[in-house]
Amino acid sequence: MQSNENIRYTEEDEIDLKELIKTLWNKKVFIIIFTSVITILAVIYSLSKTPIYEVKSTIEIGHINNQLLDDTKTIEKKLQLIFNLKDKNNKPTKDKAIVSNISILKGYKNFLEISTQALNNEEAISLNKEVLKFLQNEYKYKLDDHTIKIEQSIKNIKSEINYLQKVEKINLEKDIEKIKKQSIPKIEQEIKFLNTVTIKSLDNKIQFNQKKLSEYETNLQRIIKESFSDDSQSMIMSMRLLNIQNLILDLQNNIENLKKEKEKILNISLKNLELQKDNLLNDVIRKLNIKLKVELVNKLDHLNDQLKEEKKKLSNNYAKNTEIVGKIITNDYPVKPKKKLIVIVGFITGFILSIFLVFFMNFIKRFKEENQNDTPQ
């Protein structure tokens, strides 16, 4: 029993589906005309809309020593505000292009994607470049400040190098030359003078005094002998003896003082002069040579290395302004209106709406027929 009912329901469904297809087939002309009209209207609409072209560029934010000129999100918000992105009524016109989108490139913190729209590609490209120029001018002061500081640093380093080469180096060389040609010869002259003049003079004086002393001693012996032979002049002899003894004593003291002076010159003055000479040769000149050939050379090498590093900081790799990466992307076809999409949507909408109207009209027709049949005659 149940099987028969299923068969009946299936047959009814088949009958209804056949009736639906038959209804649509009978109204095929209406469906075609209605769909064609809607499609033609969609075509007219798409053709009547002003074409809008869009260009895109990828901008790399400028940096100094890998430090961005500003936070990318801050730049994004600033550009969105300046170029009025949040105004929904901001649309491209004959005399005006607009910035349609500014966004951070996914996965990159130092790249922005700039989209501009206009009635032609040339105006859109021009505005795109204007956005770039704005960013370049906005942060140019940071790059200029960096350049000024680096150039001043380079100038200072060059000045220091010049001072070391033309002042300190020359002064060291002069000091060494002065010691070699003036100080050491002067000490040598003093040593020579002491050896050849002063000591020799002292020796002569000692010899002269010793000779005198010998004479006085001889006279003293003679007077003593005379005093023993002549007692009548003992008083006079005694006076002479005393005088000679005083002279001898003075000479002895003088000779002793001369010997001490000679010894002082030999053991103190000459040794001090030799020490001064050795000190100049082995210590002062050595230290000056170390300053000249080691310390000064190291300073110059270090400053030259600094100079190279500072010059590198002026290169584009170290400090760079904002710039477009690659080329500005253009499209030969407008982004708005999307004609194909409008026509396809119009066609589908017209087709579906025509079918709906066919069924609706068929429903109205059947409804009227049923009402007529139910009406008593």
Side-chain angles (χ1 to χ4, degrees), residues 326-362:
K327 295 181 179 180
I328 296 176
I329 300 171
T330 59
N331 199 326
D332 294 334
Y333 302 98
V335 292
K336 293 178 183 179
K338 296 181 178 179
K339 296 178 181 179
K340 289 183 179 179
L341 181 61
I342 292 172
V343 172
I344 291 170
V345 170
F347 172 79
I348 293 172
T349 302
F351 183 71
I352 293 172
L353 191 59
S354 65
I355 291 172
F356 172 77
L357 288 173
V358 167
F359 287 140
F360 182 73
M361 288 187 294
N362 188 53

Side-chain angles (χ1 to χ4, degrees), residues 76 80 85 101-106 111-115:
E76 179 188 24
Q80 288 176 347
L85 257 72
N101 182 56
I102 295 174
S103 59
I104 299 172
L105 207 61
K106 288 183 179 180
F111 289 94
L112 284 175
E113 187 177 74
I114 310 295
S115 299

Side-chain angles (χ1 to χ4, degrees), residues 86-106:
K86 294 184 178 180
D87 185 2
K88 294 182 179 179
N89 295 322
N90 190 27
K91 296 179 180 180
T93 61
K94 184 179 180 181
D95 301 320
K96 183 183 76 171
I98 66 165
V99 179
S100 57
N101 182 56
I102 295 174
S103 59
I104 299 172
L105 207 61
K106 288 183 179 180

Side-chain angles (χ1 to χ4, degrees), residues 117-271:
Q117 292 181 351
L119 301 188
N120 55 69
N121 279 328
E122 288 73 19
E123 290 181 8
I125 291 171
S126 178
L127 180 59
N128 210 291
K129 290 180 179 179
E130 187 179 325
V131 175
L132 172 65
K133 190 174 180 180
F134 169 81
L135 280 177
Q136 289 175 337
N137 292 334
E138 183 75 5
Y139 297 100
K140 187 176 181 293
Y141 76 95
K142 288 189 175 183
L143 292 166
D144 290 343
D145 185 56
H146 162 76
T147 302
I148 290 169
K149 286 180 179 178
I150 297 303
E151 286 177 347
Q152 184 60 45
S153 176
I154 289 172
K155 185 178 178 181
N156 292 339
I157 292 171
K158 285 182 176 179
S159 177
E160 193 171 353
I161 290 172
N162 187 60
Y163 174 80
L164 289 175
Q165 289 176 333
K166 294 186 177 180
V167 178
E168 190 166 335
K169 182 182 178 182
I170 291 173
N171 286 340
L172 286 170
E173 289 173 344
K174 284 182 178 179
D175 288 341
I176 293 171
E177 195 70 14
K178 185 178 179 181
I179 291 170
K180 287 181 177 180
K181 293 189 176 182
Q182 293 182 24
S183 300
I184 291 177
K186 184 178 178 182
I187 292 172
E188 289 175 342
Q189 285 177 358
E190 289 180 11
I191 292 172
K192 185 178 179 181
F193 180 80
L194 288 174
N195 283 321
T196 59
V197 178
T198 307
I199 292 176
K200 191 174 181 180
S201 175
L202 288 172
D203 286 337
N204 291 334
K205 287 179 181 180
I206 291 170
Q207 288 176 3
F208 176 77
N209 286 313
Q210 284 176 340
K211 186 177 179 181
K212 279 286 184 183
L213 179 60
S214 179
E215 290 177 0
Y216 287 149
E217 286 175 346
T218 303
N219 288 334
L220 181 63
Q221 294 298 325
R222 183 177 57 79
I223 291 169
I224 291 172
K225 287 179 182 181
E226 288 178 358
S227 66
F228 284 117
S229 62
D230 190 359
D231 291 334
S232 62
Q233 296 183 352
S234 60
M235 180 62 71
I236 295 171
M237 291 294 183
S238 296
M239 290 296 294
R240 289 180 67 189
L241 283 172
L242 183 62
N243 287 332
I244 291 173
Q245 285 175 344
N246 287 333
L247 289 170
I248 290 172
L249 184 62
D250 288 340
L251 284 171
Q252 286 176 339
N253 289 332
N254 195 19
I255 290 169
E256 189 63 29
N257 288 334
L258 290 169
K259 286 182 177 179
K260 285 181 178 179
E261 188 177 351
K262 178 182 177 182
E263 186 178 352
K264 182 181 178 181
I265 290 171
L266 290 171
N267 295 326
I268 297 175
S269 298
L270 285 173
K271 285 186 177 179

Side-chain angles (χ1 to χ4, degrees), residues 306-323:
Q306 279 188 329
L307 187 62
K308 288 179 182 176
E309 290 299 319
E310 292 300 302
K311 286 181 178 179
K312 284 181 182 177
K313 291 178 183 179
L314 293 176
S315 67
N316 286 334
N317 293 329
Y318 189 91
K320 183 169 65 174
N321 205 342
T322 302
E323 61 181 19

